[in-house]
Amino acid sequence: MGRAGNGRKICALGVAGVLAGTVLAGCGDDDGTGDGARGSSAEGNAQEQGTQAVRSAYDRTAEEDTAKVRLHVRTSAKGASETANGQGAVDLDDGDSVMTLTVQGQRIEQRVVDQVLYQKMPNGQAPGGKPWIKIDLGKVSAQQGAGDRSMSDPAQSAAYAKAITDKDVTEKGTATIDGVETTRYRVSVDVAKLPGGDALRQQVGPTLPMDVWLDEEGRMRRQQIDMTLKAAPGSTERSSTDASSAPQKVTVRTVMDFTDFGTEVEADAPPAGQVTDMTGKALEQGKRRS
């Protein structure tokens, strides 16, 4: 990671981390399990059961209170791609988390505490001459029209449930993840029905495709989200082969695995004197996109 433009890279990575956290809130509060069936009536029942299973998955997972998390984010644009990997632990009740991210061979410590994102960059790369930066997710989400909570808040799970209908859930078979047998479901979410959906829709389109893998107890073991982000309004970035072509699009695949339910999570904010507040810059970026 070059030193030029580090603030922007840090903020972008922060958004990637928060985006991954958003996936955690992908379900709701109904009960049910999904089983395969034959015949049109049976297939309809199976689809309804699958929808109920997906909607109830977060609640079933959150009942475990905490979990270890593995994260993989792949970002592609202009024929090139970058990956970010992370591992840590998350409090499934209040959304606090601690993670270590690896980006371009460099390790970044990340914490989310009381809806504030903190990141510690290596080798003094954070702006302001301090080791940590922070972004107030509540303020950012309020600007996006999502009220006083970030979309990364697991408490927003009900909003995702309302955005999923029976036709949006398809069972895609089974898979073994970390030695656990799971059932995979493909989900389509109506972006307009999410908190801050109007602004998000401008960037990702009308629907958001997700895949979730649920264990026998209905808990989430893996979740994958694929997004195609349009260039921000006013962007001058164009294809290198055609100056008149449409602005470059960026595709992002985020995968999160959940293991070791009940693990200990210690998420503490860094000392205030070691932190540079980047919330203002994040809000400015949000205004330019609106």
Side-chain angles (χ1 to χ4, degrees), residues 28-261:
D29 53 9
D30 292 334
D31 270 338
T33 56
D35 297 310
R38 294 182 179 179
S40 58
S41 176
E43 288 176 357
N45 291 336
Q47 187 174 54
E48 181 179 356
Q49 291 174 347
T51 302
Q52 292 175 342
V54 172
R55 285 179 173 174
S56 65
Y58 173 73
D59 285 340
R60 291 174 180 264
T61 307
E63 289 173 357
E64 304 294 342
D65 294 330
T66 62
K68 288 185 179 180
V69 179
R70 286 196 308 269
L71 166 68
H72 178 78
V73 181
R74 182 181 180 90
T75 305
S76 302
K78 291 186 175 182
S81 63
E82 292 185 359
T83 61
N85 295 296
Q87 57 183 0
V90 61
D91 188 314
L92 300 167
D93 181 38
D94 60 24
D96 287 1
S97 63
V98 291
M99 294 195 72
T100 300
L101 304 171
T102 303
V103 183
Q104 295 181 340
Q106 298 193 69
R107 293 167 62 87
I108 300 170
E109 185 176 345
Q110 176 173 296
R111 305 175 189 173
V112 176
V113 184
D114 295 331
Q115 283 296 291
V116 177
L117 173 73
Y118 298 91
Q119 286 186 333
K120 184 179 183 181
M121 297 296 292
N123 304 321
Q125 292 186 29
K130 299 177 181 179
W132 292 86
I133 63 102
K134 76 173 184 179
I135 298 175
D136 188 320
L137 303 180
K139 291 181 179 180
V140 173
S141 79
Q143 180 193 66
Q144 296 171 347
D148 60 354
R149 280 179 169 172
S150 168
M151 282 178 58
S152 64
D153 186 345
Q156 290 296 318
S157 58
Y160 281 80
K162 293 177 182 178
I164 298 172
T165 64
D166 291 350
K167 66 180 181 180
D168 294 324
V169 178
T170 304
E171 185 175 329
K172 303 298 289 186
T174 61
T176 301
I177 298 176
D178 293 315
V180 177
E181 188 72 15
T182 66
T183 300
R184 179 179 183 178
Y185 296 93
R186 182 154 295 162
V187 179
S188 180
V189 175
D190 185 345
V191 173
K193 295 181 180 179
L194 298 175
D198 290 341
L200 186 60
R201 184 182 177 119
Q202 295 179 16
Q203 292 296 307
V204 303
T207 59
L208 200 58
M210 295 193 297
D211 287 70
V212 295
W213 287 255
L214 309 183
D215 64 17
E216 292 181 352
E217 298 180 49
R219 302 173 302 187
M220 198 175 298
R221 291 288 181 161
R222 173 173 291 172
Q223 193 162 28
Q224 174 180 301
I225 182 169
D226 290 292
M227 296 198 310
T228 299
L229 299 167
K230 300 177 183 178
S235 171
T236 58
E237 185 177 5
R238 303 280 177 174
S239 169
S240 59
T241 58
D242 185 357
S244 64
S245 64
Q248 181 68 39
K249 294 182 178 180
V250 178
T251 60
V252 182
R253 167 168 287 186
T254 303
V255 181
M256 295 183 74
D257 287 352
F258 301 91
T259 64
D260 298 279
F261 293 114

Side-chain angles (χ1 to χ4, degrees), residues 6-7 10 121 124-133 275-276 278 281:
N6 279 332
I10 294 169
M121 297 296 292
Q125 292 186 29
K130 299 177 181 179
W132 292 86
I133 63 102
V275 179
T276 297
M278 300 290 289
K281 289 189 176 295

Side-chain angles (χ1 to χ4, degrees), residues 266-285:
E266 295 183 2
D268 297 318
Q274 297 182 15
V275 179
T276 297
D277 193 341
M278 300 290 289
T279 304
K281 289 189 176 295
L283 293 173
E284 287 176 8
Q285 290 181 358

